[in-house]
Structure formats: structure tokens, C-alpha cells
Amino acid sequence: MNDNLHDRGPRDRSRVNIDEEWERHYWSQELGITVEQLQEAVHQVGPSVENVQAYLATPATGRTT
């Protein structure tokens, strides 16, 4: 259990959980994208943050991070 009250991020920072509204908001802010873009990225490549970042960085998505 995480007792740090200042830590507002997800427990598992290697995965994006789009089933939780607060995590969708957290990750969209963290990655600088809309919630819709986040959901599409997770749909395309799965919940791995590393894979989502790589997907967002590809020219085919229209984004470079």
C-alpha cells in the first residue's frame, strides 16, 4: 500500500487503465493528448505505457512526442 498522500499517479505506471476515469484523465494529461486519443492508442497497441508512447510518436498517428 502506498502511504504517500502526495503521489496521485497510478500504482502501476507501466500500464494505462482506461477503465478508470481518473486514470484516463491522468494519462491524457501526462502524455499531452485527449482522452479519445488515449483510448484509441490503447485500443491499437494495448495498455503498455511504452507501447502507447511509441504509437503516439509514429507519423501515422499524426503526433510526434
Side-chain angles (χ1 to χ4, degrees):
M1 181 171 169
N2 186 356
D3 291 331
N4 182 352
L5 299 178
H6 299 289
D7 183 3
R8 300 287 186 198
R11 288 197 176 163
D12 183 356
R13 289 198 167 101
S14 68
R15 301 179 65 76
V16 177
N17 179 1
I18 61 171
D19 295 330
E20 295 289 340
E21 182 178 353
W22 71 270
E23 279 210 43
R24 289 191 303 268
H25 179 73
Y26 171 85
W27 283 114
S28 65
Q29 293 290 324
E30 185 73 15
L31 297 170
I33 59 175
T34 66
V35 170
E36 291 79 15
Q37 290 171 313
L38 176 66
Q39 290 174 313
E40 177 62 21
V42 170
H43 177 73
Q44 292 296 321
V45 299
S48 164
V49 172
E50 189 174 291
N51 290 348
V52 169
Q53 289 172 322
Y55 173 81
L56 294 171
T58 59
T61 63
R63 286 199 35 94
T64 54
T65 55

